[in-house]
Amino acid sequence: MMSYIPIAASPQYSTVTLQVGLKERLRCLHISDTHLLFSDGRDCRAKYDVALRRWGEYVYANVGRNVTYFLDALLYAKRNGLLLLHTGDLIDFYSPANLEAAERLLELAGVDCFLCAGNHEYTNYSGQHPESREEQEEARREVPKIFADRLDFASRIIGGVNFIAIDNSSGFFPEESFDFFNAEAARGLPMILLIHIPIYTPGVLAMLRDEENVRDFGLCAIPENLPGAGCRYAPTDAATLKFVRRLKSEPLLKAVLAGHVHAHRNQMDELAANLPLLVAGGGYYGCGTIIEIS
């Protein structure tokens, strides 16, 4: 087998072991928040300008390498026989060029990829320019076409593990999450859940506050009455909190994977007893987690 030589600076891959009772080991690479930034003459000038501005934010100012680190992840997964798990924001905004790049990179690498939607998958301008209803509808229509699995609710059994994905990119879990999750649990297989926005834990919040200097916390299911001096917390609702309690009570759920926070490293925390929350750092920083499942 060819040795793996990173394209960019060495990726920051940590390793986590999950014991779920498999007969044969299954290896995965979890990454998130690649934020592909391709735009061309098919786009309006406003979108092209957003692409240039965002390139400066992600690639220049942050010393990020979104394309090269994504290629590193694809090559590493390919050469080591890993399933690629991506927890959203593969693209930074909807554009034909972004979809073509994502589709062709995955196809050329020949890597099996299971992913969930992020809050950028359906945006046209990354929140930096007004969007028309027609633009929003086009993004909702076109983006799912390039992916093998649905982006709202999806499941795939691989190597004896039921990988499931739920779109919580709004910051909330939809009401339909209960029926979907209960049906998947009824299969009786160990499950790993992919979401984009991490569910609140004290450890994730502390890492963002103390290491990333975050004061505006966009986590899911943040409880009320947290200390608020100088901080802002994303809202939640009763259905989301109830669904998180359902997740924490399910013995077949073995891990929850998320991204979104753009940290400079990966974070592992405990969502409940024997239920780890694995939050991938920014993909454009080269963050990722190798998950050994046995």
Side-chain angles (χ1 to χ4, degrees):
M1 178 181 294
M2 294 178 60
S3 61
Y4 168 67
I5 302 175
I7 295 172
S10 298
Q12 304 175 56
Y13 295 161
S14 51
T15 301
V16 170
T17 300
L18 297 177
Q19 295 183 346
V20 303
L22 297 184
K23 294 181 179 179
E24 296 186 9
R25 185 180 64 167
L26 177 63
R27 304 179 71 229
C28 311
L29 175 60
H30 169 214
I31 62 172
S32 194
D33 296 271
T34 303
H35 288 277
L36 295 176
L37 291 159
F38 292 97
S39 178
D40 58 23
R42 290 170 289 182
D43 298 321
C44 66
R45 181 54 188 263
K47 184 172 292 187
Y48 190 74
D49 287 345
V50 167
L52 290 176
R53 186 160 58 250
R54 299 286 283 179
W55 182 269
E57 293 173 6
Y58 280 113
V59 179
Y60 183 73
N62 283 316
V63 198
R65 301 176 177 88
N66 57 349
V67 175
T68 47
Y69 277 135
F70 186 50
L71 289 172
D72 277 332
L74 292 173
L75 287 171
Y76 190 90
K78 175 69 172 180
R79 293 176 179 176
N80 292 278
L82 274 62
L83 168 68
L84 185 65
L85 303 172
H86 197 293
T87 46
D89 286 358
L90 175 56
I91 60 175
D92 192 65
F93 50 81
Y94 161 65
S95 71
N98 258 342
L99 295 189
E100 289 168 0
E103 184 176 33
R104 290 171 182 174
L105 287 169
L106 289 168
E107 182 180 355
L108 287 170
V111 172
D112 192 10
C113 180
F114 185 72
L115 76 164
C116 67
N119 57 305
H120 281 263
E121 250 69 55
Y122 296 119
T123 182
N124 277 272
Y125 303 103
S126 298
Q128 299 189 6
H129 186 80
E131 299 187 19
S132 68
R133 180 184 298 273
E134 290 75 16
E135 287 175 318
Q136 294 173 357
E137 291 175 350
E138 181 181 356
R140 288 279 173 182
R141 182 177 65 250
E142 296 300 321
V143 170
K145 291 181 180 179
I146 72 165
F147 298 111
D149 303 286
R150 290 178 54 170
L151 292 182
D152 51 357
F153 299 97
S155 69
R156 226 190 312 158
I157 298 173
I158 304 171
V161 176
N162 188 7
F163 291 91
I164 64 177
I166 297 177
D167 180 2
N168 78 330
S169 61
S170 66
F172 304 91
F173 283 106
E175 287 281 358
E176 299 86 351
S177 302
F178 289 93
D179 289 341
F180 170 76
F181 184 78
N182 289 336
E184 295 302 322
R187 296 188 182 204
L189 295 173
M191 297 185 292
I192 293 179
L193 170 63
L194 278 66
I195 57 176
H196 181 60
I197 299 180
I199 297 168
Y200 163 84
T201 67
V204 171
L205 189 142
M207 180 271 292
L208 294 173
R209 181 193 62 219
D210 300 339
E211 298 181 27
E212 302 290 334
N213 200 31
V214 169
R215 293 298 179 267
D216 193 348
F217 297 97
L219 301 176
C220 181
I222 296 177
E224 295 181 353
N225 302 321
L226 288 182
C231 298
R232 294 190 348 176
Y233 302 111
T236 191
D237 62 14
T240 295
L241 294 172
K242 181 179 178 181
F243 183 67
V244 169
R245 290 194 295 270
R246 173 70 184 93
L247 294 178
K248 292 179 179 180
S249 70
E250 178 51 62
L252 289 172
L253 184 60
K254 303 303 182 182
V256 177
L257 278 53
H260 183 60
V261 297
H262 297 186
H264 287 72
R265 66 170 178 86
N266 306 314
Q267 171 77 7
M268 180 175 175
D269 207 355
E270 193 172 70
L271 196 57
N274 300 313
L275 180 57
L277 172 67
L278 307 179
V279 181
Y284 54 90
Y285 292 133
C287 296
T289 301
I290 298 167
I291 304 175
E292 308 265 3
I293 310 173
S294 60

